[in-house]
């Protein structure tokens, strides 16, 4: 048995991408979390693309997909105004790498998981360190 985490092909980002979604949190906190992710990982968002406020009766959901294969910088501690819930979906290796990176900026606690054959969905609670 090989102890190296499974990754689907070095040329493909499929096993290295994580879909990250935030909802029901303060706009500034969403920007902080996305800032931590954007400073470390390539994503589907442009560099200046920040979460924006929306109006209406439904909660806002901010979503990005990040490629965790090669972090650009370690995470620095960031202050949140309140705890933030993050849903992360991707391959086991990729989600673990995302969670490990977030621990540099926040106190991270796993509050829920749904496991699949090759992917998992993890709900994380981010709080100030």
């Amino acid at each position: 048995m090989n102890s190296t985490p499974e990754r689907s092909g070095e040329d493909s980002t499929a096993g290295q991408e994580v879909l990250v979604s935030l909802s029901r949190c303060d706009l500034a906190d969403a920007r902080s979390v996305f800032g931590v992710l954007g400073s470390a990982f390539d994503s589907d968002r442009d560099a200046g693309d920040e979460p924006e406020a929306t109006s209406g009766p439904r909660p806002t959901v901010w979503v990005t997909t990040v490629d965790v294969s090669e972090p650009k910088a370690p995470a620095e501690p960031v202050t949140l105004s309140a705890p933030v819930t993050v849903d992360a979906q991707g391959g086991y290796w990729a989600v673990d790498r995302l969670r490990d990176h977030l621990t540099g900026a926040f106190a991270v606690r796993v509050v829920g998981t749904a496991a699949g054959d090759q992917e998992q969905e993890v709900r994380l609670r981010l709080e100030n360190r």
Side-chain angles (χ1 to χ4, degrees):
M1 175 152 73
N2 187 348
S3 63
T4 304
E6 287 290 317
R7 291 183 19 190
S8 58
E10 291 300 317
D11 296 336
S12 169
T13 60
Q16 302 167 13
E17 291 183 343
V18 179
L19 177 68
V20 178
S21 62
L22 309 174
S23 65
R24 300 175 195 245
C25 69
D26 183 76
L27 175 62
D29 290 339
R31 287 180 174 166
S32 293
V33 173
F34 276 37
V36 168
L37 295 175
S39 67
F41 303 119
D42 290 330
S43 78
D44 61 349
R45 300 176 75 89
D46 292 330
D49 186 12
E50 291 186 338
E52 294 183 17
T54 60
S55 61
R58 296 186 178 152
T60 301
V61 178
W62 295 287
V63 179
T64 189
T65 300
V66 295
D67 177 349
V68 299
S69 60
E70 302 211 15
K72 297 182 267 187
E76 298 291 327
V78 173
T79 302
L80 300 169
S81 65
V84 173
T85 301
V86 174
D87 289 316
Q89 181 180 0
Y92 286 86
W93 174 85
V95 171
D96 286 346
R97 187 166 210 175
L98 177 91
R99 185 180 64 229
D100 289 346
H101 181 77
L102 288 172
T103 61
F106 311 102
V108 178
R109 185 168 41 106
V110 175
V111 294
T113 61
D117 184 33
Q118 297 179 11
E119 285 194 348
Q120 67 177 328
E121 184 171 342
V122 176
R123 179 163 286 169
L124 305 171
R125 183 79 163 178
L126 308 181
E127 298 177 340
N128 294 325
R129 293 179 68 188

